[in-house]
Amino acid sequence: MAHDLREPRLPSARGPLSGAVLDHLRGTGPLPAASAVAGADPYGDDLQLALYVCYELHYRGFAGVPGDREWDPDLLRTRAALEQRFLSALRADTPVHASVEEAVGDLLVEPADGTGVSHHLCEKGELWQLREYAAHRSLYHLKEADPHAWVLPRLTGRAKAAMAAVEFDEFGGGRADRVHARLFADLMTDLGLDTAYGRYLDAGCAEMLGIVNLMSLFGLHRELRGALVGHFADVEITSSPGSRRLAEAMRRAGAGPAAVFFYDEHVEADAVHEQIVRHEVIDGLLEEEPHLAPDVVFGIDATEYLEGRLADRLLDAWRSGSSSLRTPLDAPTATEVPHIS
């Protein structure tokens, strides 16, 4: 399939903060006051959407918004206030391990009685739940690995070389048809979903926005490079077993070959990436900058904290028979409905 290069449309506001940011980008209103940001729910829809929109100017932007708004100083001040509110809450709320070794060690242990989203989808997930999961995750996977690339200029030596090697794989190893964002778009096609970049932003929940925002927050700040490495380690270490379950879920639901392939690819690739990240990226970073160890731990544990919030949101909705999305998905057409072979 061809890439859709159109810039996404601006989303609908979810409250006064996001409404003010969107109005500012349209040239129709002022940005929110600092006091409004300080009093906002740091994990809520309004703040998370406002922050996501600010960050998205550094990626694909939005239709009708001039490219130079990426460096609008007033908007950057607002973004800094939003970031501070979010980061302060994460530092206060995230249970952290005592050391990098303990944090990584816990990630390597697969609980025998796992109850997370991938376990649910593997064991009893229905096709409509797989479609919702893909719609949520599209907010990251259609730009997979892009947020992590921000850290490359901030690393040196072993850590930089190893991180670049993993990113090269994520970007297809030089092959456009193997770029992981492209593979996810193929998965979405198998599930009868719209592959346009940003298509499901209005549907995505605050918990998913928080996870994507965490990547951008860590990636765009040099002082948080250790946290970005910790976050990336969490993603790569947990990906292979989770992807194995999701591949089985796609097979069981008859989701289609591209949907299965996306997760099969991650089972193999991320098993290798896990070793590289643990022994080259983390060890290389801490060999040169040992003082960043607490930041690596925070990156791991903040990722787990936000992923746990997303899991609670999805599973609570699905167990009650409700949608986890803010707006309903369009039903796939007859030609798009996956069939079990």
Side-chain angles (χ1 to χ4, degrees):
M1 62 171 290
H3 282 292
D4 185 345
L5 298 179
R6 293 173 297 176
E7 294 171 332
R9 65 175 179 82
L10 286 168
S12 299
R14 302 188 189 182
L17 297 181
S18 54
V21 168
L22 292 166
D23 285 346
H24 179 76
L25 292 177
R26 296 186 184 102
T28 60
L31 287 163
S35 58
V37 175
D41 177 357
Y43 308 114
D45 277 295
D46 192 24
L47 184 143
Q48 289 299 325
L49 179 61
L51 187 53
Y52 185 98
V53 168
C54 290
Y55 284 145
E56 195 56 38
L57 298 174
H58 299 295
Y59 295 101
R60 292 277 288 272
F62 294 99
V65 177
D68 62 1
R69 301 308 287 274
E70 177 182 6
W71 301 112
D72 177 337
D74 293 330
L75 191 61
L76 290 175
R77 278 189 286 271
T78 295
R79 195 192 87 185
L82 295 166
E83 288 175 327
Q84 184 57 43
R85 179 70 176 131
F86 183 36
L87 185 59
S88 294
L90 283 172
R91 291 198 184 280
D93 298 339
T94 299
V96 294
H97 286 81
S99 68
V100 173
E101 291 74 17
E102 289 184 16
V104 171
D106 279 353
L107 292 180
L108 292 169
V109 176
E110 273 277 289
D113 57 346
T115 57
V117 172
S118 66
H119 292 87
H120 169 87
L121 292 174
C122 180
E123 294 164 10
K124 55 189 173 184
E126 300 179 35
L127 188 58
W128 67 271
Q129 295 170 342
L130 291 171
R131 296 182 77 237
E132 287 197 357
Y133 184 72
H136 282 298
R137 289 291 185 185
S138 71
L139 299 181
Y140 165 62
H141 280 304
L142 289 180
K143 61 182 177 191
E144 183 169 343
D146 288 352
H148 306 131
W150 295 113
V151 82
L152 285 170
R154 286 91 187 256
L155 302 178
T156 59
R158 287 169 57 202
K160 187 186 193 83
M163 187 77 184
V166 175
E167 287 283 273
F168 183 65
D169 283 351
E170 301 284 352
F171 293 133
R175 291 178 52 186
D177 62 325
R178 300 284 293 192
V179 172
H180 285 189
R182 165 72 179 272
L183 298 180
F184 193 80
D186 293 341
L187 171 150
M188 295 176 73
T189 297
D190 263 5
L191 291 172
L193 296 171
D194 189 337
T195 64
Y197 184 92
R199 166 66 176 79
Y200 296 107
L201 178 52
D202 279 332
C205 62
E207 291 81 2
M208 187 66 227
L209 295 182
I211 290 169
V212 184
N213 284 340
L214 185 76
M215 303 178 197
S216 298
L217 172 64
F218 289 166
L220 285 167
H221 289 271
R222 181 181 174 276
E223 67 177 351
L224 295 173
R225 62 195 179 280
L228 189 282
V229 166
H231 159 77
F232 193 62
D234 184 289
V235 170
E236 297 299 329
I237 291 170
T238 61
S239 175
S240 188
S243 293
R244 184 176 293 108
R245 288 186 288 270
L246 291 168
E248 178 56 32
M250 294 293 176
R251 287 189 184 92
R252 185 175 55 77
V260 173
F261 180 78
F262 177 81
Y263 288 111
D264 277 344
E265 168 72 8
H266 280 71
V267 171
E268 297 182 15
D270 291 344
V272 176
H273 294 170
E274 172 208 319
Q275 299 294 319
I276 297 173
V277 172
R278 286 170 57 201
H279 299 300
E280 296 299 322
V281 180
I282 292 179
D283 289 355
L285 174 71
L286 296 183
E287 183 179 82
E288 297 198 15
E289 300 187 276
H291 63 283
L292 293 181
D295 290 344
V296 174
V297 172
F298 176 65
I300 292 171
D301 290 332
T303 302
E304 287 295 295
Y305 178 69
L306 292 181
E307 287 285 355
R309 289 178 58 88
L310 176 64
D312 290 344
R313 164 70 179 246
L314 301 184
L315 294 175
D316 287 350
W318 292 343
R319 287 167 180 160
S320 69
S322 303
S323 172
S324 63
L325 295 166
R326 298 182 69 256
T327 59
L329 293 177
D330 293 333
T333 65
T335 58
E336 293 172 326
V337 176
H339 295 284
I340 300 176
S341 59

